[in-house]
Amino acid sequence: MKTFTYDRVTSAEEALANGAGASFVAGGTNLLDHMKLQIVTPERLVDINRAGMDAIETTADGGLRIGALVRNSDLAADARVIAGYPVLARAILAGASGQIRNRATTAGNLMQRTRCPYFYDTALACNKRAPGSGCSAQDGHSRTLAVIGTSDLCLCQNPGDMAVALRVLDAVVEVAGPSGKTRTIPIAQFHQLPGDTLPIAEFALDPGELITAVTLPPPPGGAHFYRKVRDRSSYAFALVSVAAVIHGDGTGRIALGGVAPRPWASEAADAAISKGARAIADALFEGARPQEDNAFKIDLATRTIAAVLAEAKEART
Ligand SMILES: Cc1cc2nc3c(=O)[nH]c(=O)nc-3n(C[C@H](O)[C@H](O)[C@H](O)COP(=O)(O)OP(=O)(O)OC[C@H]3O[C@@H](n4cnc5c(N)ncnc54)[C@H](O)[C@@H]3O)c2cc1C
């Protein structure tokens, strides 16, 4: 057991004033697991559960502003989300369990860390957990890990479901810094690729910054899909997932989960939607660096995209 201090705050301002060198606790479903395993050993915890930031508001342009502490269950059950952004509701409901979704928050979900087995095993080398120690995954078991966006330092995948839907919806992450300065980060840039420098930055947040909300543009229309392929039919992370919004004229947006350190999408892939699954996958996986164990993910993703396109075609007829 490592000792740490624990402070409970009642506003975002108070959280920011106390945030230097601390870890914010939201639902705690990821952070506390990591503390128990000593993957992380923060000296200070700041509990933000009573800091407000728990409303879902309609914005002036007809979009949504989702407070950082909105629970995953509440977001998936919101009538505006179900009507205007069903891909988001479906992605959230495909993740974890009811109990965890009742506790997990919008910001915490975005900030969930990789499920790489070597990140979890503190006896083994992991550059993400212990910068400079190496990456055991390079010569190890990589079945669940990323096939693209990786580097020699890290093969970690981003395990989240919700973020994949947020990627096709062009969500924007609102953050506030310790000085009170606010800024926004497009979801496409929020999760970082490992690159070749240490330590590995996972998120586009500066020290002490707090996520205050996630905003969505007005509903995109079209038919929405979230298809997740996993080893068990529930309570398992995606081997591959596909989020898509497909319009009647065959245009749309598509993003993959489980294959990269961030929700994986590209303009070229979106432009290829009318050309079929192979063309979309070719665009998405250009430059992929699969390992022997996880090369199957490229075929699996291609077939999952094909299944989504077939469902979209059926929805149009
Ligand atoms: C058994 C199990 C199965 C799961 N299955 C899935 C699954 O299938 N799909 C899926 O997507 N997820 C799954 N999850 C992960 C789950 O979705 C995350 O644990 C959860 O979303 C994290 O949210 P939280 O609020 O509990 O985060 P916390 O654990 O409280 O925080 C996580 C991280 O976010 C930081 N943080 C939290 N709020 C803020 C903020 N406002 N500003 C800045 N930093 C912040 C914390 O400091 C911490 O680093 C599973 C989890 C478990 C335990």
Side-chain angles (χ1 to χ4, degrees):
M1 174 78 185
K2 303 269 185 201
T3 54
F4 56 86
T5 62
Y6 173 83
D7 291 298
R8 192 181 269 160
V9 296
T10 54
S11 68
E13 293 72 27
E14 206 187 332
L16 288 165
N18 287 280
S23 289
F24 297 122
V25 188
T29 62
N30 201 219
L31 179 64
L32 299 192
D33 278 358
H34 291 160
M35 288 176 68
K36 286 180 208 163
L37 294 166
Q38 299 199 356
I39 292 168
V40 295
T41 52
E43 290 176 1
R44 298 185 53 225
L45 292 188
V46 172
D47 183 337
I48 57 175
N49 279 282
R50 297 181 189 180
M53 305 190 289
D54 54 2
I56 305 175
E57 297 158 309
T58 303
T59 56
D61 66 355
L64 279 188
R65 183 175 187 274
I66 303 156
L69 286 167
V70 171
R71 306 286 159 181
N72 290 177
S73 298
D74 293 334
L75 185 55
D78 187 276
R80 291 161 294 183
V81 173
I82 293 169
Y85 311 93
V87 65
L88 178 57
R90 287 175 201 161
I92 292 171
L93 294 176
S97 65
Q99 201 177 22
I100 291 170
R101 294 193 298 267
N102 286 344
R103 187 79 202 144
T105 63
T106 304
N109 192 317
L110 274 183
M111 299 271 295
Q112 67 175 287
R113 302 186 72 190
T114 184
R115 293 278 161 172
C116 175
Y118 302 105
F119 176 73
Y120 269 78
D121 189 337
T122 54
L124 295 174
C126 168
N127 281 323
K128 192 158 266 190
R129 175 173 35 74
S133 61
C135 172
S136 303
Q138 306 281 349
D139 301 312
H141 296 288
S142 58
R143 181 172 178 276
T144 58
L145 302 181
V147 293
I148 192 159
T150 57
S151 77
D152 290 344
L153 293 181
C154 183
L155 300 180
C156 281
Q157 90 287 40
N158 182 297
D161 290 295
M162 184 188 81
V164 190
L166 291 178
R167 180 70 176 84
V168 293
L169 293 170
D170 279 335
V172 171
V173 184
E174 285 183 18
V175 305
S179 65
K181 193 166 173 269
T182 59
R183 66 186 180 109
T184 57
I185 308 167
I187 189 74
Q189 289 154 29
F190 184 76
H191 299 94
Q192 305 282 288
L193 301 181
D196 53 12
T197 51
L198 291 168
I200 296 169
E202 287 167 82
F203 309 103
L205 284 188
D206 291 331
E209 278 190 323
L210 178 75
I211 299 175
T212 50
V214 172
T215 54
L216 298 179
H224 291 213
F225 305 91
Y226 190 74
R227 189 175 274 248
K228 176 175 177 179
V229 184
R230 47 191 154 172
D231 284 330
R232 290 190 301 266
S233 60
S234 80
Y235 212 30
F237 290 91
L239 287 168
V240 161
S241 69
V242 177
V245 172
I246 313 268
H247 300 287
D249 62 1
T251 61
R253 303 290 305 278
I254 196 156
L256 301 182
V259 299
R262 60 163 56 139
W264 199 251
S266 73
E267 283 179 15
D270 290 346
I273 284 179
S274 61
K275 297 185 187 140
R278 173 61 58 197
I280 298 169
D282 283 350
L284 285 170
F285 289 113
E286 196 186 342
R289 304 189 336 154
Q291 307 284 306
E292 199 181 332
D293 284 354
N294 67 8
F296 76 95
K297 284 192 174 192
I298 296 178
D299 288 336
L300 184 60
T302 310
R303 289 199 298 274
T304 311
I305 294 167
V308 165
L309 295 184
E311 217 180 323
K313 195 172 170 194
E314 209 165 285
R316 282 202 295 271
T317 52

